[in-house]
Amino acid sequence: MGTGSQSLTQICRVLTPQLGPGGSVEPILRCFNLTDDSVTAGRGGAGRAPGGGGMAAAGTERLLRQAREVRDEELGQFCARASALLRTEEPGPEAVDALRRLFLIVAATKYGRKLEDECVDLLQTALGPPPRPEPLQLLCAAILRETAPRPGLSLSCDCVQSPRQLSLVASVLLAQGDRRQVRSVGQRVFQVLESRQPEGPSARPLLPVVSKVASLAPGSFREDQANLLSKRLADWLRYASVPQGPAPSGGFFTPRARQPGPVTEVDGAVATDFFTVLSTAQRATEDQWLNVQAFSMLRAWLQLGGPGAPDTDDRSEQEGSSLSVLSAAASTGRLLPPERLREKAFQYCQRLVEQSTRRALRRADADLQKACLVEAVLVLDVLCRQDPSFLYRTLSCLKALQARLNGDPACVRVLLPLAQFFLGHGEAAAVDAEAVCRQVFGRVPAEHFHSPMLAFEFVQFCRDSLPLLGRHLGLLRRSFPGLLQLLAWNSPALTAEFVALLPALVDASTAVELLHALLDLPCLTAALDLQLRLSPAASERPLWDASLRTASCPDASQDPQLQGRLQHLLRTEASGAPERLAPLYPLLQPMAGCARVLQCAEAVPTLLRAFFSAVTQFADGALTNQLARLLLERSDSLYPVPGYEARVHQCGLSASTWR
């Protein structure tokens, strides 16, 4: 687990299931004494002072470090306290607080922490009857998942009837990694779904379990079960209620309940079409929540390719929005459930694309529009691969979408699934996929190298697209300088991904230039840092970054000769003629000790080993000798990062044995 406030926020969201996307984690932080004055200094009644965020992050890091440093003896004391509180007849807030602390300890480390057997038994007992408070059961399940796999668990879902309780028990059992348990969990979940009455508890907690079981063991469900879920997913996607949920009634000042208002679009207009995840309602109904969950698991379920079965009336028993109806009269001339689900999925994705053209009133809704567009394009890609008849219905829509997003830097993430779609279907649809990919390869690395999430998604896109590139593989190889910008700025997170991608990037025409570029990677990191400092967005960077600025860098970067070398270093396509960058070293010398540059320098030896391993698969003796000599020569002419020259020289000695 990583460090910093984001890690603790993720933990807090596990502890508080009712938190929405914008929910506050401060109640949980308060339980860990993280909202005292020592942590949140600088925050007043009207907001947070400029230094408050950094102090909170420091407090969070201190808390996580303390949790990691808890010894086994101290962990035993935490277990004993939690066990004593769980043995009481009605565990109260003290038990919840003790479980929160215990969860933080077991979740803050990468390795498993062993809990005492008695504590584990009591955690399991708390998940069974009689019903316990929901926060307490949630914490018990979270702790058991973190300590999985645990041999000898007595937990079973055979007699659990409550959907909420079953979802918690199932999450623990699925974390054990036993395939037989996965199948039994899947069958039990379907039994509860099938027996649930329309007026009974919500089925929502069980849908993530169904999706997880399907991904772990696709053959866990019988044909009739898969068909039934496909049918219900189609209903939830297409026929959710259009009015909002009713407002709560009662109270002295509200003697009569108001009529529920209409659902609106993200721009505030009243919705005139069916409900989707981009529809806005102050109070959502049960089937509207099911609509959102159905879309979240749609792509994974479609990729399983469930079998077909006779369908019934197009709109089947929507009153309960449940899986309670088991029997259905067969009728001829209707779409079979998987095909019917595909049709409803296609309509849903088209509706999302239409909704994305609306100007959102809130930033959160604008972000949601982009995320839904990405998922909609991915779902359409699956549909077109499964049924080519969807391709020509989809093509005009996605062409218009791509033309609309080309000039919008805020929607660059959507261009990746669009490029993947055109790569996979461009030949059949007579689309110039190479032009689309050229735009993506030239734009994303140069403009968004400093976005960690987008950098990771872009490298994943490159890896996933390798089977689709075919005759366009040369475009990927020529674009390696831009890809290396992503690696230079995000080296700790992307090194393993690039090791896997390197064999596709190197051939006889790019080997020499690529080796030079790998050796200059720390210099590229420093140049990107300088470029970002001098950009108009520099004022938006964290305050600690400004401490690294040196007065000499902006003036020196205006030298025309140095500008040419900087442009070569920051190129996005291979030039075919490497340039010596030694004149840039004095300009970038003040950045040589930066943490990001040091991290990048540490990753280079791993990348060099992967590079030479890939080269030996195709190169003749002459090229291998040339590259090994080049590596030894360059080991004395490198960007002066502490310890970097010695590591590269050691790689050069190793490379000489590969010739």
Side-chain angles (χ1 to χ4, degrees), residues 414-447:
V414 189
L415 295 179
L416 300 183
L418 277 173
Q420 193 164 25
F421 179 92
F422 290 127
L423 276 175
H425 307 284
E427 188 171 346
V431 175
D432 187 0
E434 182 168 346
V436 177
C437 291
R438 186 181 298 110
Q439 182 185 30
V440 171
F441 284 131
R443 176 179 173 185
V444 174
E447 298 177 7

Short mmCIF file of all heavy atoms in Angstrom, two decimals, residues 414-447:
data_model
loop_
_atom_site.label_atom_id
_atom_site.label_comp_id
_atom_site.label_asym_id
_atom_site.label_seq_id
_atom_site.Cartn_x
_atom_site.Cartn_y
_atom_site.Cartn_z
N VAL A 414 -10.69 9.95 -23.33
CA VAL A 414 -11.65 9.25 -24.18
C VAL A 414 -11.02 8.88 -25.51
O VAL A 414 -11.47 7.95 -26.18
CB VAL A 414 -12.90 10.12 -24.39
CG1 VAL A 414 -14.00 9.34 -25.08
CG2 VAL A 414 -13.41 10.66 -23.05
N LEU A 415 -9.97 9.61 -25.93
CA LEU A 415 -9.33 9.30 -27.21
C LEU A 415 -8.67 7.93 -27.21
O LEU A 415 -8.51 7.32 -28.28
CB LEU A 415 -8.30 10.38 -27.54
CG LEU A 415 -8.85 11.79 -27.80
CD1 LEU A 415 -7.71 12.75 -28.09
CD2 LEU A 415 -9.85 11.79 -28.95
N LEU A 416 -8.26 7.43 -26.05
CA LEU A 416 -7.58 6.13 -26.01
C LEU A 416 -8.52 4.99 -26.39
O LEU A 416 -8.19 4.20 -27.28
CB LEU A 416 -6.97 5.90 -24.62
CG LEU A 416 -5.92 6.93 -24.18
CD1 LEU A 416 -5.34 6.55 -22.83
CD2 LEU A 416 -4.81 7.04 -25.21
N PRO A 417 -9.70 4.83 -25.74
CA PRO A 417 -10.60 3.77 -26.20
C PRO A 417 -11.11 3.99 -27.62
O PRO A 417 -11.38 3.02 -28.34
CB PRO A 417 -11.74 3.79 -25.18
CG PRO A 417 -11.66 5.11 -24.52
CD PRO A 417 -10.22 5.50 -24.53
N LEU A 418 -11.24 5.27 -28.04
CA LEU A 418 -11.64 5.52 -29.43
C LEU A 418 -10.58 5.01 -30.40
O LEU A 418 -10.90 4.36 -31.42
CB LEU A 418 -11.86 7.02 -29.64
CG LEU A 418 -13.22 7.59 -29.23
CD1 LEU A 418 -13.20 9.11 -29.34
CD2 LEU A 418 -14.34 7.01 -30.09
N ALA A 419 -9.30 5.30 -30.10
CA ALA A 419 -8.23 4.80 -30.97
C ALA A 419 -8.20 3.28 -30.98
O ALA A 419 -7.99 2.66 -32.04
CB ALA A 419 -6.88 5.35 -30.48
N GLN A 420 -8.43 2.67 -29.83
CA GLN A 420 -8.45 1.21 -29.78
C GLN A 420 -9.61 0.65 -30.59
O GLN A 420 -9.48 -0.37 -31.27
CB GLN A 420 -8.54 0.74 -28.33
CG GLN A 420 -8.25 -0.73 -28.13
CD GLN A 420 -7.98 -1.07 -26.69
OE1 GLN A 420 -8.41 -0.39 -25.77
NE2 GLN A 420 -7.25 -2.15 -26.46
N PHE A 421 -10.75 1.34 -30.55
CA PHE A 421 -11.91 0.90 -31.34
C PHE A 421 -11.58 0.95 -32.84
O PHE A 421 -11.85 -0.01 -33.58
CB PHE A 421 -13.11 1.79 -31.03
CG PHE A 421 -14.35 1.43 -31.81
CD1 PHE A 421 -15.27 0.55 -31.29
CD2 PHE A 421 -14.59 1.97 -33.07
CE1 PHE A 421 -16.41 0.20 -32.01
CE2 PHE A 421 -15.73 1.64 -33.79
CZ PHE A 421 -16.64 0.76 -33.25
N PHE A 422 -11.01 2.07 -33.30
CA PHE A 422 -10.72 2.19 -34.73
C PHE A 422 -9.61 1.25 -35.16
O PHE A 422 -9.58 0.81 -36.31
CB PHE A 422 -10.37 3.64 -35.06
CG PHE A 422 -11.54 4.58 -34.97
CD1 PHE A 422 -11.48 5.73 -34.20
CD2 PHE A 422 -12.72 4.31 -35.64
CE1 PHE A 422 -12.56 6.59 -34.11
CE2 PHE A 422 -13.81 5.16 -35.56
CZ PHE A 422 -13.73 6.31 -34.79
N LEU A 423 -8.68 0.94 -34.25
CA LEU A 423 -7.67 -0.07 -34.59
C LEU A 423 -8.29 -1.43 -34.81
O LEU A 423 -7.91 -2.17 -35.72
CB LEU A 423 -6.62 -0.16 -33.48
CG LEU A 423 -5.47 0.84 -33.50
CD1 LEU A 423 -4.62 0.69 -32.26
CD2 LEU A 423 -4.61 0.65 -34.75
N GLY A 424 -9.26 -1.77 -33.96
CA GLY A 424 -9.87 -3.08 -34.06
C GLY A 424 -10.87 -3.20 -35.19
O GLY A 424 -11.06 -4.31 -35.72
N HIS A 425 -11.51 -2.09 -35.58
CA HIS A 425 -12.58 -2.18 -36.57
C HIS A 425 -12.36 -1.28 -37.77
O HIS A 425 -13.20 -1.23 -38.66
CB HIS A 425 -13.92 -1.79 -35.91
CG HIS A 425 -14.24 -2.55 -34.68
ND1 HIS A 425 -14.69 -3.85 -34.70
CD2 HIS A 425 -14.17 -2.21 -33.37
CE1 HIS A 425 -14.90 -4.28 -33.47
NE2 HIS A 425 -14.58 -3.29 -32.64
N GLY A 426 -11.22 -0.56 -37.81
CA GLY A 426 -11.01 0.43 -38.86
C GLY A 426 -10.99 -0.16 -40.25
O GLY A 426 -11.52 0.42 -41.20
N GLU A 427 -10.37 -1.32 -40.42
CA GLU A 427 -10.27 -1.91 -41.76
C GLU A 427 -11.64 -2.30 -42.28
O GLU A 427 -11.97 -2.05 -43.44
CB GLU A 427 -9.35 -3.13 -41.71
CG GLU A 427 -9.03 -3.69 -43.08
CD GLU A 427 -7.95 -4.76 -43.01
OE1 GLU A 427 -7.27 -4.87 -41.97
OE2 GLU A 427 -7.79 -5.48 -44.03
N ALA A 428 -12.46 -2.90 -41.40
CA ALA A 428 -13.81 -3.29 -41.84
C ALA A 428 -14.67 -2.08 -42.11
O ALA A 428 -15.57 -2.12 -42.96
CB ALA A 428 -14.46 -4.17 -40.77
N ALA A 429 -14.41 -0.99 -41.41
CA ALA A 429 -15.24 0.20 -41.55
C ALA A 429 -14.60 1.27 -42.44
O ALA A 429 -15.12 2.38 -42.54
CB ALA A 429 -15.51 0.80 -40.18
N ALA A 430 -13.47 0.93 -43.08
CA ALA A 430 -12.78 1.86 -43.97
C ALA A 430 -12.42 3.17 -43.26
O ALA A 430 -12.67 4.26 -43.76
CB ALA A 430 -13.64 2.14 -45.22
N VAL A 431 -11.83 3.05 -42.06
CA VAL A 431 -11.39 4.20 -41.28
C VAL A 431 -9.87 4.18 -41.23
O VAL A 431 -9.25 3.13 -41.05
CB VAL A 431 -11.97 4.16 -39.86
CG1 VAL A 431 -11.42 5.29 -39.01
CG2 VAL A 431 -13.49 4.25 -39.91
N ASP A 432 -9.25 5.36 -41.37
CA ASP A 432 -7.79 5.47 -41.29
C ASP A 432 -7.38 5.43 -39.82
O ASP A 432 -7.24 6.48 -39.17
CB ASP A 432 -7.32 6.76 -41.96
CG ASP A 432 -5.80 6.83 -42.05
OD1 ASP A 432 -5.13 5.88 -41.58
OD2 ASP A 432 -5.28 7.83 -42.57
N ALA A 433 -7.19 4.22 -39.30
CA ALA A 433 -6.84 4.07 -37.89
C ALA A 433 -5.48 4.66 -37.58
O ALA A 433 -5.23 5.15 -36.48
CB ALA A 433 -6.89 2.60 -37.49
N GLU A 434 -4.56 4.63 -38.55
CA GLU A 434 -3.22 5.15 -38.30
C GLU A 434 -3.25 6.64 -38.04
O GLU A 434 -2.51 7.15 -37.19
CB GLU A 434 -2.29 4.84 -39.48
CG GLU A 434 -0.86 5.31 -39.24
CD GLU A 434 0.11 4.75 -40.26
OE1 GLU A 434 -0.25 3.80 -40.98
OE2 GLU A 434 1.23 5.28 -40.33
N ALA A 435 -4.11 7.37 -38.74
CA ALA A 435 -4.21 8.82 -38.51
C ALA A 435 -4.71 9.11 -37.10
O ALA A 435 -4.22 10.04 -36.43
CB ALA A 435 -5.14 9.45 -39.55
N VAL A 436 -5.67 8.31 -36.63
CA VAL A 436 -6.18 8.50 -35.28
C VAL A 436 -5.08 8.20 -34.26
O VAL A 436 -4.87 8.97 -33.31
CB VAL A 436 -7.40 7.59 -35.04
CG1 VAL A 436 -7.89 7.72 -33.60
CG2 VAL A 436 -8.52 7.93 -36.01
N CYS A 437 -4.36 7.11 -34.46
CA CYS A 437 -3.30 6.74 -33.52
C CYS A 437 -2.14 7.73 -33.56
O CYS A 437 -1.53 8.04 -32.52
CB CYS A 437 -2.79 5.33 -33.84
SG CYS A 437 -3.97 4.04 -33.48
N ARG A 438 -1.82 8.26 -34.74
CA ARG A 438 -0.74 9.24 -34.83
C ARG A 438 -1.07 10.47 -34.00
O ARG A 438 -0.20 11.04 -33.33
CB ARG A 438 -0.50 9.62 -36.29
CG ARG A 438 0.72 10.53 -36.49
CD ARG A 438 0.91 10.90 -37.94
NE ARG A 438 1.16 9.73 -38.77
CZ ARG A 438 0.30 9.25 -39.67
NH1 ARG A 438 -0.87 9.86 -39.84
NH2 ARG A 438 0.59 8.19 -40.39
N GLN A 439 -2.32 10.88 -34.04
CA GLN A 439 -2.72 12.03 -33.25
C GLN A 439 -2.60 11.73 -31.75
O GLN A 439 -2.13 12.56 -30.97
CB GLN A 439 -4.15 12.42 -33.59
CG GLN A 439 -4.64 13.65 -32.83
CD GLN A 439 -6.10 13.93 -33.10
OE1 GLN A 439 -6.86 13.02 -33.35
NE2 GLN A 439 -6.49 15.19 -33.04
N VAL A 440 -3.00 10.53 -31.34
CA VAL A 440 -2.93 10.17 -29.93
C VAL A 440 -1.49 10.07 -29.47
O VAL A 440 -1.10 10.59 -28.42
CB VAL A 440 -3.68 8.84 -29.69
CG1 VAL A 440 -3.43 8.33 -28.28
CG2 VAL A 440 -5.17 9.03 -29.92
N PHE A 441 -0.64 9.40 -30.27
CA PHE A 441 0.76 9.23 -29.88
C PHE A 441 1.49 10.57 -29.83
O PHE A 441 2.41 10.75 -29.02
CB PHE A 441 1.47 8.30 -30.87
CG PHE A 441 1.13 6.85 -30.68
CD1 PHE A 441 0.76 6.06 -31.75
CD2 PHE A 441 1.18 6.27 -29.43
CE1 PHE A 441 0.45 4.73 -31.59
CE2 PHE A 441 0.87 4.93 -29.25
CZ PHE A 441 0.49 4.15 -30.33
N GLY A 442 1.12 11.49 -30.68
CA GLY A 442 1.81 12.78 -30.68
C GLY A 442 1.31 13.74 -29.64
O GLY A 442 2.03 14.64 -29.21
N ARG A 443 0.07 13.56 -29.19
CA ARG A 443 -0.55 14.56 -28.31
C ARG A 443 -0.47 14.18 -26.83
O ARG A 443 -0.11 15.01 -25.99
CB ARG A 443 -2.02 14.72 -28.71
CG ARG A 443 -2.81 15.66 -27.82
CD ARG A 443 -4.23 15.78 -28.32
NE ARG A 443 -5.07 16.54 -27.41
CZ ARG A 443 -6.37 16.71 -27.55
NH1 ARG A 443 -6.98 16.18 -28.60
NH2 ARG A 443 -7.06 17.40 -26.68
N VAL A 444 -0.79 12.93 -26.51
CA VAL A 444 -0.91 12.57 -25.09
C VAL A 444 0.40 12.68 -24.33
O VAL A 444 0.47 13.35 -23.29
CB VAL A 444 -1.52 11.16 -24.96
CG1 VAL A 444 -1.52 10.71 -23.50
CG2 VAL A 444 -2.94 11.15 -25.51
N PRO A 445 1.51 12.06 -24.80
CA PRO A 445 2.74 12.15 -23.99
C PRO A 445 3.24 13.58 -23.84
O PRO A 445 3.67 13.98 -22.74
CB PRO A 445 3.73 11.28 -24.77
CG PRO A 445 2.90 10.38 -25.61
CD PRO A 445 1.70 11.19 -25.98
N ALA A 446 3.22 14.36 -24.91
CA ALA A 446 3.78 15.71 -24.85
C ALA A 446 2.97 16.64 -23.95
O ALA A 446 3.54 17.48 -23.25
CB ALA A 446 3.86 16.30 -26.26
N GLU A 447 1.65 16.47 -23.92
CA GLU A 447 0.80 17.40 -23.19
C GLU A 447 0.41 16.91 -21.80
O GLU A 447 0.04 17.71 -20.94
CB GLU A 447 -0.46 17.70 -24.00
CG GLU A 447 -0.20 18.36 -25.35
CD GLU A 447 -1.47 18.56 -26.15
OE1 GLU A 447 -2.56 18.31 -25.59
OE2 GLU A 447 -1.39 18.97 -27.32
#
